[in-house]
């Protein structure tokens, strides 16, 4: 059963291209799921992808940064936090605390908050509509929990399939992630190698455990 974190799941929807002709809900859902699988390979496949993001939940949380994916590898950079995951080890850096936490890359404990937002992709209902030059694709969670997400809506350019934004709706509020500079392919494995020399003098905490 394929399960993924909220943030990762949201970006799986970025480059979905759906036909513009009218279809029944059942037809739409089947096509959306098939295209979803293709998008998974586009974003997390062997060639990788990269983008910039900007999030602003007024009064609660604000951040911007860059993120790179390739298969099970990941790298992201923000003002305070950054991380390198090479498919084996995850290095989670807090620059304010001068702290590096080291985990197995697949350990949910490396991000306690995001680990609460894991979903079976088969537990979503997909739909879409055409909005001008863009596709608006929505994935709604079946039987959403009170503290979980309700839906994720991606706005995608119809011509280039590049993502423009993601709207994430939770029980009490919703927020929009603005996306720019999306690029698919051409990602080198060197992007996921932890640059230890950049963090000389930092404290390291070992959290790797045997399964």
């Amino acid at each position: 059963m394929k399960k993924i974190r909220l943030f990762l799941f949201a970006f799986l929807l970025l480059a979905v291209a759906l036909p513009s002709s009218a279809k029944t809900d059942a037809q739409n859902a089947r096509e959306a799921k098939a295209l979803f699988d293709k998008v998974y390979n586009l974003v997390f496949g062997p060639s990788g992808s990269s983008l910039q993001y900007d999030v602003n939940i007024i009064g609660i949380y604000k951040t911007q940064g860059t993120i790179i994916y390739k298969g099970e590898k990941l790298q992201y950079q923000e003002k305070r936090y950054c991380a390198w995951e090479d498919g084996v080890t995850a290095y989670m850096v807090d620059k304010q605390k001068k702290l590096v936490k080291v985990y197995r890359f697949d350990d949910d404990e490396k991000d306690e908050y995001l680990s609460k937002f894991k979903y079976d992709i088969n537990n979503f209902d997909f739909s879409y509509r055409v909005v001008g030059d863009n596709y608006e694709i929505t994935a709604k969670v079946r039987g959403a929990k009170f503290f979980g997400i309700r839906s994720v809506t991606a706005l995608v350019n119809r011509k280039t399939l590049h993502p423009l934004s993601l709207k994430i709706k939770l029980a009490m509020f919703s927020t929009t992630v603005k996306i720019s500079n999306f690029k698919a392919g051409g990602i080198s494995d060197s992007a996921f190698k932890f640059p230890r020399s950049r963090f000389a003098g930092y404290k390291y905490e070992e959290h790797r455990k045997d399964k």
Side-chain angles (χ1 to χ4, degrees), residues 22-193:
K23 297 183 181 293
T24 67
D25 290 344
Q27 287 175 313
N28 189 303
R30 285 195 297 269
E31 290 186 1
K33 178 58 173 65
L35 288 166
F36 178 89
D37 292 336
K38 295 179 181 179
V39 173
Y40 188 96
N41 187 62
L42 174 67
V43 178
F44 297 102
S47 296
S49 66
S50 64
L51 56 89
Q52 295 181 0
Y53 60 89
D54 192 322
V55 185
N56 186 3
I57 306 174
I58 298 174
I60 300 176
Y61 181 68
K62 182 177 181 180
T63 190
Q64 59 185 7
T66 60
I67 192 162
I68 304 172
Y69 295 115
K70 189 176 183 182
E72 295 180 325
K73 301 172 185 177
L74 176 150
Q75 185 223 115
Y76 74 82
Q77 303 283 332
E78 296 182 356
K79 183 176 180 180
R80 175 174 175 176
Y81 301 102
C82 52
W84 285 261
E85 301 184 19
D86 60 8
V88 177
T89 305
Y91 298 88
M92 316 300 290
V93 180
D94 184 332
K95 288 180 277 188
Q96 181 174 303
K97 293 183 177 180
K98 292 192 173 183
L99 176 65
V100 179
K101 294 184 178 182
V102 186
Y103 295 87
R104 294 193 324 269
F105 85 100
D106 58 352
D107 190 341
D108 287 342
E109 292 184 6
K110 69 178 185 283
D111 196 320
E112 183 178 355
Y113 177 73
L114 288 181
S115 68
K116 299 179 187 299
F117 294 91
K118 294 183 70 176
Y119 297 87
D120 178 359
I121 63 174
N122 295 310
N123 197 36
F124 285 84
D125 291 320
F126 293 87
S127 63
Y128 82 99
R129 64 175 183 160
V130 176
V131 181
D133 293 331
N134 305 314
Y135 291 120
E136 186 179 81
I137 307 105
T138 299
K140 292 184 178 180
V141 181
R142 299 185 199 127
K145 298 177 182 179
F146 181 76
F147 290 105
I149 64 170
R150 296 294 191 264
S151 64
V152 178
T153 299
L155 191 66
V156 179
N157 183 278
R158 291 174 64 189
K159 183 177 180 180
T160 65
L161 307 185
H162 288 184
L164 304 173
S165 66
L166 291 168
K167 184 176 181 179
I168 304 172
K169 184 177 181 180
L170 292 94
M172 305 299 292
F173 63 90
S174 63
T175 187
T176 298
V177 181
K178 296 180 181 179
I179 302 161
S180 59
N181 297 326
F182 177 79
K183 298 178 182 178
I187 304 298
S188 170
D189 286 343
S190 62
F192 309 101
K193 182 178 175 59

